[in-house]
Structures are given as structure tokens and as C-alpha cells.
Amino acid sequence: MLAAMPPSPTADLTSLSDVTASESSLTRFLHGLPGVDQVGAEARAASLATRSIKTTAKAQALDLAITMVDLTTLEGQDTPGKVRALAAKAMRPDPADPTCPAAAAVCVYPDMVATAKEVLGDSGVHVAAVATAFPSGRAAMDIKLADTRDAVEAGADEIDMVIDRGAFLSGRYLQVFEEIVAVREACARSGAEDAHLKVIFETGELQTYDNVRRVSWLAMLAGAHFIKTSTGKVQPAATLPVTLVMLEAVRDFRAATGQMVGVKPAGGIRTSKDAIKYLVMVNEVAGGDWLDPDWFRFGASTLLNDLLMQRTKLTTGRYSGPDYFTLD
Amino acid sequence: MGIDLTYAPAPESRSIVDLKASYGLFIDGEFVDGHGSDSSAFKTINPATEEVLAEVAEADAADVDAAVKAARRAYQRVWSRMPGSERAKYLYRIARIIQERGRELAVLESLDNGKPIKESRDVDIPVVAAHFFYYAGWADKLEFSGYAGSDGSAPRPLGVAGQIIPWNFPLLMLAWKIAPALACGNTVVLKPAETTPLTALLFAEICQQADLPPGVVNIVTGAGETGQALVAHPDIDKVAFTGSTAVGKAIARSIAGTDKKATLELGGKAANIVFDDAPLDQAVEGIVNGIFFNQGHVCCAGSRLLVQESIADDLLERLKRRMSTLRLGDPLDKNTDIGAINSAEQLARIRELSEIGESEGAERWSPSCELPAQGFWFPPTLFTGVTQAHRIAREEVFGPVLSVLTFRTPSEAIEKANNTPYGLSAGVWTEKGSRILHVAGALKAGVVWANTFNKFDPTSPFGGFKESGYGREGGRQGLAAYLKTEQGGR
Amino acid sequence: MAARIDVRKTYKLYIGGAFPRSESGYSYIVNDAKGRFVANAALASRKDARDAVVAARKAFGSWSGRTAYNRAQVLYRVAEIMEDRRPQFVQALQQSEGLTAARANAALDAAIDRLVWYAGWADKLTQVVGNANPVAGPFFNLSTPEPTGVVAVLAPQESSLLGLVSVVAPAIVTGNTVVVVSSFDRPLPAVTFAEVLATSDVPGGVVNLLTGSAATIAPWLAAHMDVNAIDLVGVAGEQELATELEVAAADNLKRVRRAPGAEPDWTASPSLDTMTDFVEIKTVWHPMGV
């Protein structure tokens, strides 16, 4: 229902490059962005969450959500066996129903990329690798870049990096910016498009919505393809209001530069009901153009089974149970 | 790229409401026929479909007299003698039953008024229950209210209150009137608006379920004449009215020279002031909420947007984009944001003022909106290029119509905001705390919302300056309207 | 046919929303008003008191963070459930205090009404004891009451239900959490009250009940550095003990409600200080200017 608002670039990227020329100009720009009123933002997110999506719209939303899942395993105890099983599930989430669409990607640690790639081949399901000393981001820059290059060489289509939150919270914005730029460069692949870079903010550590707005602009100016809420290792992870602020940022960035950037909430999204709330928010805040796996993803693991159960309920009319779906 | 996520209809079921074909008056604890003939009964319709919901009796002067007599008897024999802690328990019971029957009340309110079910369910009804809970707790604490006699004893009630309420928040306005009146020990005769009597009549049923002593609450349905008969009745001690400024003035004239006290909640033309350092996205929400919530049928609506010139273009672009996502349609659809206009009369008035706005040279804009064929509808509308001299900047439209004016400095904003005979509410949007407090201090309005809008709470006093009326409803100060204070006064 | 043997209740402590036995394993004999055996009640130890304070502190952030309206609703519901369990309370009162059925019913009525009275204060006390202050300068200045934190309450020895409600409700309605030591000889209505709390919407840890001896437990609570206030009414008439407790409380300047000379008449209308003794007034300044 959102009327198509053609982007009206009020600034293009070349003029915005002045903004990132120095620490002080970047700070002035970021601190000059409109503030976010916490109570107001949370109220808007809550109000969008009351939308009621039924019948055909619900079926459409569930299928869309499935295609947006980055099926994730990021555990110390991951083994090739685990990753193979996850990749198989990403390609065929519901073994009993071939009409069920595939997930968008699997998301694994860099040393598991090759294993995932073996299974996924050219199925269209991407391999995303976390990198840059995920989840803490606390390591020397050359180590973080080597981590990234490693994953890209192993075949990762997408890189989910973490920012240096310590640097951000102590105001070293230019450092954070330059690190993102460097990682983006490390995503280059010879003879192919760059691996897509998602930048993880760890919004639970940044705490304020003002910070989320600022870091969103910072990452987009640095060339992020996607901005992502969390690693999933820190609570709170993704929330509706945090994602709302990020969707406003990508909307405003497109209006300013003509360029689209994707959004990925990750962690804590467990039910279909939750996922649909996010889709409604994308629809009404950023617009229908973002309702596509190229521009919106869910970082999740248990969500997929709930989506499958709800999908089955819509087609069979009965509530299903976990016995009817694979565990991984 | 992307998909078009259309929301299928998500209708709330009507079956929970048990509509009768016709309703009588509620006097002395029972539903009775009015003295009027069948032809004087009026129909109440669903403004979204123009379907007749029920026939409702029209109370004539004799009916009003019977109701006042019942209220007086109940006052003298039962209610004024009852300890506050016992009165409290009746009010707690009523509050609980409202919570229990919440869905039924919300659906009925949306059917009769036209407001979206999302609002009646999530705002109106919960605040109604909260209002009864809040005032229940004052009934046995009046000696602490600040209105005690000089000997520290609990202040006394006024007696019988005649209460007249409007159609925009039917049950909520009833709660704002009845809860404090009863808590303080008064009995009441209440006239709901003629286009929205049904939730008041269901409330009467709830009083019966709560075993409220007969005569403490009386509901007399009717239109202007019924209201006049009530105001003019010699045996009421208090008039409480919410409605238009014109009628408020008529009431003030009619009680002049009598001992009747009055509180009046009248119209408004609130300024919503947005400074250049406002949290912009939330300000847009506040603007939308301020004028399109309840279809703009809100006395405290933020109907004038005063935006600092330096951010006006950016803000308007965001506002228009946001307005395009508003969903107008069936009030019982849970996804509806904007419901029906309450009556044909009101729709005509909104249209007339909008045409005047255009003819005076303001630029009109609405998002593209499919209006249903039946019922009374008006799309959310914006007028830019408005100045203080325009009629749409001065007169209350009482519809989803926003006039946009600009300003350069804080003092200019304050001056424009105050340049009106009204003074009910105002909004201030800025991240700077000192500015909020300075501007709030300078605004001649009874309610100032800073970085928010249209927030209501039973603990928070509400009421106007100047021609928006006098007296406060809600909070500790709301008690004053229903107590004998030693100095007299209003 | 043989008479049915009843299934007797075990009387335990109420800490953090659960019903543990005393960690000491001790219990003591509780007799009815006529000296007949009723039950072995848990005899709370200092470690139970310590655990109760931890539970109360844990619950404080969330309880004080709720809206006043919500706290009022929760307390009102406790009253609803007490009303619903009338026969059980009447029996407990008759047993403990030797009251006739009529007097026990009246005492329960009074306890329920007292709770309802306090519930209604949740969203009003701020309006009565808080206010804006018209300082002589361009400043907005606001004073509001905030709950002090964890309050130790020595419940009255004689009035086992009305007295109990009259000391617990005023502390928690403003957002404090409490550790209560019940009447030593008459703990059973308190245990029943704890069961009501557990089955209503009161979060675990808001009220913690220790059955046992105030003389043994109170010194540990009075000296506890993470307790913010203490109500000594349960040692009314015990001047020496009350003084010792007040001295111990001074180590972290607890707010103290002193023990009166004798147990008060609980039927009298309470005054505001039952609540204001356990709140702190916070005053905030903010300039007003463009």
C-alpha cells in the first residue's frame, strides 16, 4: 500500500565523501543526524506489531520469510557433519513438501565454508561466513582481514563482519569506518562480484537508538551491502524497534544517494509471528522493494521450523508438531 | 524486486455483541420506556455502512425529571451515606466487569462510532477500565485529596450531577464523568450523544451486574432538547459537559445566577510545534497520531502543525510518505487505521471547511485512498501554505485535516500557537530539554505534550484554558469538580 | 465405615516465590489458641533471612519498575483471592487467635478492606506527597517519592492477619520488596497469606515470609547492609531488643519505624507515614530556556 516514493537524492555519494574525510567531520555528521525518541520508536514498532496478517497474505509472508532465512550455526562444537546437515536442510527445508522454497543462505564460521560449499554447490543457496574475529571483534586488524580473505577464498558468497564496538563507543568513528572499508576490499573476488558484506553492529552493546542510527549511516557510507543487528551471542539481540531504526536509515540513505542497502535482524526471532511482524515493518517503513531476500534476511535457526509448521497448518488445516520436521 | 505484501481483511467478529432492536432509558436501576411516543424514538446507525443498529428512546422533560428524582433519592438515602470504602468497591466491581467484557464493549463502540477496532480495543476500553480503577481508589481517601475541610475531614459531594457527553469517545467520556462523580459520593444523570448511545446503555447493564444501588447512575438518551432539559432542571447541583464551545457558552449562560456548578470541556485548535532538532521520525508519528487518530474527532487534536521553516520540506516529505501507509476502511478490520466519520452532518462540515481552505488559497493534499461506497468517509488531508489568517487555521474542523504553518524562532512559534481563543492542548517536539520546559511554560494550553501526543491517563489532569473550557478531568485535581470546596467556585 | 484421615499441611517458608523448608532443618511447634497442637512450622535461620534478602533485592528492580497502575491491580487481585478463600482464612484466624466465627470474619473483612485501601494508593501517593516546586529561578523543579528498596518487616505478634496486611501492604504498594518475620505464636494466617500471594500475580521475591522468632532473626536483618529499612512493630513492648535493633540498623542508616510501647490498634485508620517512611523523595532540576 506504500505509494512509490521515487528516491530524490539530496546528496550523492561523492559529496558525502566530504563527511568521511576526517574524524571531526564524520563526528559532526553522525551527531547531526536527527535523534531517536526511545518511547516514540518503541511505540511505533509495537503498533506495527498489531497488524493482523491472514489467509493468502499470511501464506505469502511465510514463504517469503523462508526464502529470507540465513540458516545459522555458530558454535564452538560445530563439525563438518553438523554443517552438512544444516546445508541440506537449507536446500530442502521440508522433506515432505517439495513446494517449500529454499532458505537464502547458511551462515557458518570461516573454517566451515568449504564443507558447506561442497553440499550446496550451485543450488542457489548462498554461503555466508562470519569473520573479523566474530563475535567479539577484538583482534588486530591484519588478523581480522586474514580471517575475511580466508573465508572469501574458501568460497563464501557473503561475509558477516563485526564492528569494533569499543572503538565506536569511545568515539573513534573514523577507525570503525576505515575498518569496514578495508574488510569490503578484502571481499573482492577475482572474476566475480565482491562477496556481499554485512556489517554487524551488536546493537545490544550500543544500547541507544541514537547510536544505532549513527552506526547505520557510518556503515552505509563505508560500503556495507547489508547492515545487521547482532551476533546472536549477546542479549538483547534483534528487536523490532532496533530494526525499525535501521529500516529508517536505509530508507533515508536511498533517498539521499539512490542506493539500497539491506537489513538483517539476527538472534531472538523464534516464531513465525515474530517474522511476520518484521515483514510488516519492512513493508510500512522502508517499502516493498526491501521485501526480497536480496535486501532483507533473518539470522535464525529455530525460526525455520516454526515457519514450516505454520506453513503446514495453512495447507493442511491442522496444527503440526516437531516430530514432522527435521531437527537440523 | 520485492513483493506487494497486501494484508487480507482481518475482521473482528461482531457476534459477541448482542444488539437489541430497541433500547429504553435507564432510570432507577431499570430499563424503562420513555414517555415519548414511538415516533420520537431515534435510530442510531453504523457510520461505516449506514446500517441501522437500533432504535433508542428519546427522553423528554418528564423522563429527565424522573431520572433526576431517582438520582436525588439514591443520593440522600443511600449513596451520600455510604462509607467511601464501600463506594470504592462498587467502582472496583464496575472496573473489573469492564475488563471482563472488554472485547464486547470495543466492538460495540466501533460499530456505533466508526472508530477502528484497534483503537477501541487498545486505547478506549483499557483507559475506561483504568479510569474506574483509579477513582475507585480515591473514594475512601478524600481526606487526603487536598480538598479537605479545614478540620481535615473528608470533603462532601455536591449532590446530583447532570452530565452530557459527546460522540467522539463515547464510553471514555462516560468514564471521565461517572467515575470521579461516584467516587466523591455524587449520583448522576448522564446523556450520551445521540449518534453514540449504545455503549452507555451497555454500561447501564454493567451497573446492574455490579449490583450498583438503583438511581446512582441514570442514563437518559436523546439529543439537544434532552440535554437542555437536564441542564435546566432545578434539582441538579452540577453540570458537567463535554462538547462544542458554542453549547458550552449556552450552558454557562443558562446556569448564571443559580447555585449550579459547572465544568466544561470544549473545543480546541491545538498547535503541534516541531523544532529543527526534533526526533524527526517520532515527530512524524506524533503529528499523524495527533490529527488522524480517531479520524481527527478529538478536541485536543494537533490540528495545526507549526514546523520550523528550516526543516519544513524534509518533514513534509516524511509526513506525506507516512500518510500513504495509513489504511482507511472497515472499522472492524483489525488493520484499519482510519475509520468512518461519525455522521453525515460531521462529514458535511469537514467537507465545507476543506473547500473553504482550498478557496482561501491553501494547497490541499491527500494520499490516494479508496473510499467505500456506503458510509461516511474522508481521507487524511493536509493543507500547506496555511497562515493564521486562514479559516482552517482558526476554526475547529473536527476531522482528519491538518493545516501546516511555518515559523522561524521559538517566540514566533509560541505567539502563533497562543493566537487563538482556544487553549486545550499543544505539542512540542525538540530534543532540547530546556526548550521543552520553556515553551511548555509559555503555551496557554491545559495539556502540553512534549515529544509525544494524545496520551491520556486517569492520573493525569485534562482540561483547557480560555474558550476550551474550565475544570479538569483526571488526576487529583479532577476531584475538585465533584466536591464541595469551602471557597465555592466553579 | 472408618472416618477419613485428612492430609495435613506442611508449613514452610515463602522465599523468592517458592516454599522451601528452613535450611537449618529446624521447626517449632505451633499450637492453637487453646494450646492444642496444630503444626510444626519451619523455624527460619539467619541463612534463610540472608536468602530472603537476596530474593527481595532481585525482585526489587522489576517490581519498582512496574507502573503504579499495575501494582494496584496486583494488590487488588490479592484481595480478590483472599475474599475467595474466606473459609480458609476464617479457620486459620479461629485457630490462631481463638476468635469466634463472627469475629474471625470481621477480622478478615478488615484485612481485605485494608489491602484494598492500600492498593488504591499506588497511583495516588505521588500526587499527594510529590509536587513541583516554585523555585526562585528559571528552573523546572519536581519532587517525587521513590521506593527505598528492601524493607525488613517484623510483623505484629498478636494481630496475625489484619496486622500483617497493615505492615506489608504499605511497604510494597510503592514498589519496595519485603522480608517479613511473622508472628511467632500465630504464624498460620501468614502462611495462608503467602499461599495467596503465590497464586495471584505477585512476582516471586516481592514478599518473602519467614516463620520463626523475631528475637533470633531480626538482629541479622537489622544489621544486614543490603536492607534499606526496617519496621520494628513486631517487637513492640520489648524496649531493650528494639533499641539494639535500632543501633544495628544505624550501620547503613536504615530508615527505621520504631517499635511502639504496645501493639497498636490495627482497626484505626492508617496514616500516610506507613507508606512515606519507606520512600525517598527525589528532586530534579532542569533549566527552562530556548
Short mmCIF file of all heavy atoms in Angstrom, two decimals, chain A residues 53-88:
data_model
loop_
_atom_site.label_atom_id
_atom_site.label_comp_id
_atom_site.label_asym_id
_atom_site.label_seq_id
_atom_site.Cartn_x
_atom_site.Cartn_y
_atom_site.Cartn_z
N ILE A 53 -2.19 -10.38 9.88
CA ILE A 53 -1.96 -10.88 8.51
C ILE A 53 -2.57 -12.27 8.40
O ILE A 53 -2.15 -13.20 9.10
CB ILE A 53 -0.44 -10.95 8.23
CG1 ILE A 53 0.25 -9.65 8.59
CG2 ILE A 53 -0.17 -11.33 6.78
CD1 ILE A 53 -0.26 -8.44 7.84
N LYS A 54 -3.55 -12.40 7.54
CA LYS A 54 -4.30 -13.67 7.49
C LYS A 54 -4.28 -14.31 6.11
O LYS A 54 -3.95 -13.66 5.13
CB LYS A 54 -5.77 -13.41 7.85
CG LYS A 54 -5.99 -12.79 9.19
CD LYS A 54 -6.01 -13.82 10.28
CE LYS A 54 -6.42 -13.23 11.60
NZ LYS A 54 -5.61 -13.67 12.71
N THR A 55 -4.70 -15.51 6.06
CA THR A 55 -5.01 -16.28 4.84
C THR A 55 -3.94 -16.12 3.74
O THR A 55 -2.79 -16.43 3.98
CB THR A 55 -6.42 -15.93 4.30
OG1 THR A 55 -6.46 -14.56 3.94
CG2 THR A 55 -7.46 -16.19 5.37
N THR A 56 -4.34 -15.63 2.58
CA THR A 56 -3.38 -15.61 1.46
C THR A 56 -2.17 -14.74 1.77
O THR A 56 -1.04 -15.09 1.42
CB THR A 56 -4.02 -15.07 0.17
OG1 THR A 56 -4.73 -13.88 0.48
CG2 THR A 56 -4.97 -16.09 -0.43
N ALA A 57 -2.42 -13.62 2.44
CA ALA A 57 -1.29 -12.75 2.78
C ALA A 57 -0.35 -13.48 3.72
O ALA A 57 0.88 -13.36 3.62
CB ALA A 57 -1.80 -11.47 3.42
N LYS A 58 -0.90 -14.26 4.62
CA LYS A 58 -0.07 -14.99 5.57
C LYS A 58 0.76 -16.05 4.85
O LYS A 58 1.95 -16.21 5.13
CB LYS A 58 -0.93 -15.63 6.64
CG LYS A 58 -0.12 -16.28 7.74
CD LYS A 58 -1.01 -16.67 8.90
CE LYS A 58 -0.18 -17.32 10.00
NZ LYS A 58 -1.00 -17.67 11.16
N ALA A 59 0.14 -16.77 3.95
CA ALA A 59 0.87 -17.81 3.21
C ALA A 59 2.03 -17.19 2.44
O ALA A 59 3.16 -17.70 2.43
CB ALA A 59 -0.07 -18.54 2.27
N GLN A 60 1.73 -16.06 1.81
CA GLN A 60 2.74 -15.35 1.05
C GLN A 60 3.89 -14.91 1.95
O GLN A 60 5.06 -15.05 1.62
CB GLN A 60 2.05 -14.14 0.43
CG GLN A 60 2.75 -13.46 -0.69
CD GLN A 60 2.03 -12.14 -1.04
OE1 GLN A 60 1.36 -11.51 -0.22
NE2 GLN A 60 2.21 -11.72 -2.27
N ALA A 61 3.52 -14.38 3.12
CA ALA A 61 4.52 -13.89 4.07
C ALA A 61 5.38 -15.04 4.59
O ALA A 61 6.60 -14.89 4.73
CB ALA A 61 3.85 -13.17 5.22
N LEU A 62 4.77 -16.17 4.87
CA LEU A 62 5.55 -17.30 5.39
C LEU A 62 6.56 -17.79 4.36
O LEU A 62 7.72 -18.05 4.68
CB LEU A 62 4.62 -18.46 5.78
CG LEU A 62 3.77 -18.23 7.02
CD1 LEU A 62 2.76 -19.35 7.20
CD2 LEU A 62 4.64 -18.14 8.27
N ASP A 63 6.11 -17.94 3.12
CA ASP A 63 7.03 -18.40 2.08
C ASP A 63 8.16 -17.39 1.90
O ASP A 63 9.33 -17.76 1.75
CB ASP A 63 6.29 -18.60 0.76
CG ASP A 63 5.66 -19.98 0.66
OD1 ASP A 63 5.63 -20.68 1.70
OD2 ASP A 63 5.21 -20.38 -0.43
N LEU A 64 7.80 -16.12 1.90
CA LEU A 64 8.82 -15.08 1.75
C LEU A 64 9.82 -15.17 2.90
O LEU A 64 11.05 -15.11 2.69
CB LEU A 64 8.16 -13.70 1.74
CG LEU A 64 9.12 -12.51 1.64
CD1 LEU A 64 9.85 -12.53 0.31
CD2 LEU A 64 8.34 -11.20 1.80
N ALA A 65 9.32 -15.34 4.11
CA ALA A 65 10.21 -15.41 5.27
C ALA A 65 11.17 -16.58 5.15
O ALA A 65 12.36 -16.46 5.47
CB ALA A 65 9.38 -15.53 6.55
N ILE A 66 10.68 -17.71 4.65
CA ILE A 66 11.56 -18.86 4.49
C ILE A 66 12.71 -18.53 3.54
O ILE A 66 13.87 -18.86 3.80
CB ILE A 66 10.76 -20.09 3.99
CG1 ILE A 66 9.83 -20.58 5.10
CG2 ILE A 66 11.72 -21.22 3.57
CD1 ILE A 66 8.83 -21.64 4.65
N THR A 67 12.37 -17.84 2.45
CA THR A 67 13.43 -17.50 1.48
C THR A 67 14.40 -16.48 2.03
O THR A 67 15.44 -16.22 1.42
CB THR A 67 12.86 -16.93 0.17
OG1 THR A 67 12.23 -15.68 0.46
CG2 THR A 67 11.89 -17.87 -0.49
N MET A 68 14.08 -15.88 3.16
CA MET A 68 14.95 -14.86 3.75
C MET A 68 15.80 -15.39 4.89
O MET A 68 16.60 -14.64 5.46
CB MET A 68 14.10 -13.71 4.29
CG MET A 68 13.44 -12.87 3.21
SD MET A 68 12.29 -11.73 4.00
CE MET A 68 12.08 -10.53 2.68
N VAL A 69 15.64 -16.66 5.22
CA VAL A 69 16.38 -17.18 6.38
C VAL A 69 17.84 -17.46 6.04
O VAL A 69 18.14 -18.15 5.07
CB VAL A 69 15.72 -18.47 6.91
CG1 VAL A 69 16.59 -19.12 7.98
CG2 VAL A 69 14.35 -18.14 7.49
N ASP A 70 18.74 -16.90 6.85
CA ASP A 70 20.14 -17.32 6.81
C ASP A 70 20.24 -18.37 7.91
O ASP A 70 20.33 -18.05 9.09
CB ASP A 70 21.08 -16.15 7.16
CG ASP A 70 21.33 -15.21 6.00
OD1 ASP A 70 20.77 -15.43 4.91
OD2 ASP A 70 22.10 -14.24 6.18
N LEU A 71 20.20 -19.63 7.49
CA LEU A 71 20.18 -20.70 8.48
C LEU A 71 21.56 -20.79 9.12
O LEU A 71 22.57 -20.94 8.44
CB LEU A 71 19.80 -22.01 7.78
CG LEU A 71 19.33 -23.16 8.65
CD1 LEU A 71 18.16 -22.76 9.54
CD2 LEU A 71 18.94 -24.34 7.77
N THR A 72 21.59 -20.69 10.43
CA THR A 72 22.86 -20.38 11.10
C THR A 72 23.31 -21.44 12.07
O THR A 72 22.51 -21.95 12.85
CB THR A 72 22.67 -19.05 11.88
OG1 THR A 72 22.24 -18.05 10.97
CG2 THR A 72 23.95 -18.62 12.57
N THR A 73 24.60 -21.77 12.05
CA THR A 73 25.20 -22.48 13.17
C THR A 73 26.57 -21.86 13.44
O THR A 73 27.44 -21.84 12.57
CB THR A 73 25.29 -24.00 12.96
OG1 THR A 73 25.81 -24.58 14.16
CG2 THR A 73 26.16 -24.39 11.79
N LEU A 74 26.73 -21.34 14.66
CA LEU A 74 27.98 -20.65 15.03
C LEU A 74 28.37 -21.11 16.43
O LEU A 74 28.28 -20.37 17.40
CB LEU A 74 27.77 -19.13 14.99
CG LEU A 74 27.48 -18.55 13.62
CD1 LEU A 74 26.99 -17.12 13.73
CD2 LEU A 74 28.72 -18.61 12.72
N GLU A 75 28.75 -22.36 16.55
CA GLU A 75 29.08 -22.92 17.85
C GLU A 75 30.51 -23.44 17.84
O GLU A 75 30.99 -23.93 16.82
CB GLU A 75 28.18 -24.13 18.14
CG GLU A 75 26.72 -23.91 17.82
CD GLU A 75 25.93 -23.62 19.05
OE1 GLU A 75 25.82 -24.55 19.88
OE2 GLU A 75 25.45 -22.48 19.20
N GLY A 76 31.12 -23.41 18.99
CA GLY A 76 32.45 -24.00 19.12
C GLY A 76 32.42 -25.46 18.75
O GLY A 76 33.41 -26.02 18.24
N GLN A 77 31.29 -26.12 18.99
CA GLN A 77 31.20 -27.56 18.76
C GLN A 77 30.76 -27.94 17.35
O GLN A 77 30.46 -29.09 17.09
CB GLN A 77 30.24 -28.17 19.78
CG GLN A 77 28.85 -27.61 19.69
CD GLN A 77 27.94 -28.16 20.78
OE1 GLN A 77 28.23 -29.19 21.38
NE2 GLN A 77 26.84 -27.48 21.06
N ASP A 78 30.74 -26.98 16.42
CA ASP A 78 30.36 -27.31 15.03
C ASP A 78 31.37 -28.28 14.42
O ASP A 78 32.58 -28.16 14.64
CB ASP A 78 30.33 -26.04 14.16
CG ASP A 78 29.08 -25.19 14.43
OD1 ASP A 78 28.10 -25.74 14.99
OD2 ASP A 78 29.11 -23.99 14.09
N THR A 79 30.83 -29.21 13.68
CA THR A 79 31.66 -30.18 12.98
C THR A 79 31.19 -30.22 11.52
O THR A 79 30.10 -29.74 11.21
CB THR A 79 31.46 -31.59 13.55
OG1 THR A 79 30.06 -31.92 13.40
CG2 THR A 79 31.88 -31.68 14.99
N PRO A 80 32.01 -30.82 10.64
CA PRO A 80 31.55 -30.95 9.25
C PRO A 80 30.20 -31.64 9.15
O PRO A 80 29.35 -31.27 8.32
CB PRO A 80 32.65 -31.79 8.59
CG PRO A 80 33.87 -31.49 9.40
CD PRO A 80 33.40 -31.27 10.81
N GLY A 81 29.98 -32.64 9.98
CA GLY A 81 28.70 -33.35 9.95
C GLY A 81 27.53 -32.41 10.21
O GLY A 81 26.51 -32.43 9.51
N LYS A 82 27.70 -31.59 11.22
CA LYS A 82 26.63 -30.65 11.58
C LYS A 82 26.37 -29.70 10.43
O LYS A 82 25.22 -29.41 10.08
CB LYS A 82 27.06 -29.91 12.86
CG LYS A 82 26.30 -28.65 13.16
CD LYS A 82 24.95 -28.91 13.81
CE LYS A 82 24.26 -27.58 14.07
NZ LYS A 82 22.94 -27.73 14.63
N VAL A 83 27.45 -29.19 9.84
CA VAL A 83 27.31 -28.19 8.77
C VAL A 83 26.68 -28.83 7.53
O VAL A 83 25.84 -28.21 6.87
CB VAL A 83 28.68 -27.55 8.45
CG1 VAL A 83 28.61 -26.69 7.21
CG2 VAL A 83 29.15 -26.72 9.65
N ARG A 84 27.05 -30.06 7.23
CA ARG A 84 26.44 -30.74 6.08
C ARG A 84 24.94 -30.88 6.28
O ARG A 84 24.15 -30.65 5.36
CB ARG A 84 27.08 -32.12 5.86
CG ARG A 84 28.38 -32.06 5.08
CD ARG A 84 28.74 -33.46 4.59
NE ARG A 84 29.50 -34.19 5.61
CZ ARG A 84 30.84 -34.14 5.73
NH1 ARG A 84 31.55 -33.44 4.89
NH2 ARG A 84 31.44 -34.81 6.70
N ALA A 85 24.55 -31.27 7.48
CA ALA A 85 23.12 -31.45 7.75
C ALA A 85 22.38 -30.12 7.60
O ALA A 85 21.29 -30.04 7.02
CB ALA A 85 22.92 -32.01 9.15
N LEU A 86 23.00 -29.05 8.12
CA LEU A 86 22.37 -27.74 8.05
C LEU A 86 22.20 -27.30 6.59
O LEU A 86 21.16 -26.78 6.19
CB LEU A 86 23.24 -26.72 8.78
CG LEU A 86 22.55 -25.39 9.05
CD1 LEU A 86 21.68 -25.50 10.29
CD2 LEU A 86 23.56 -24.28 9.22
N ALA A 87 23.25 -27.54 5.78
CA ALA A 87 23.20 -27.13 4.38
C ALA A 87 22.10 -27.89 3.65
O ALA A 87 21.35 -27.33 2.84
CB ALA A 87 24.55 -27.37 3.73
N ALA A 88 21.98 -29.17 3.95
CA ALA A 88 20.93 -29.97 3.29
C ALA A 88 19.57 -29.42 3.67
O ALA A 88 18.66 -29.31 2.84
CB ALA A 88 21.07 -31.44 3.72
#
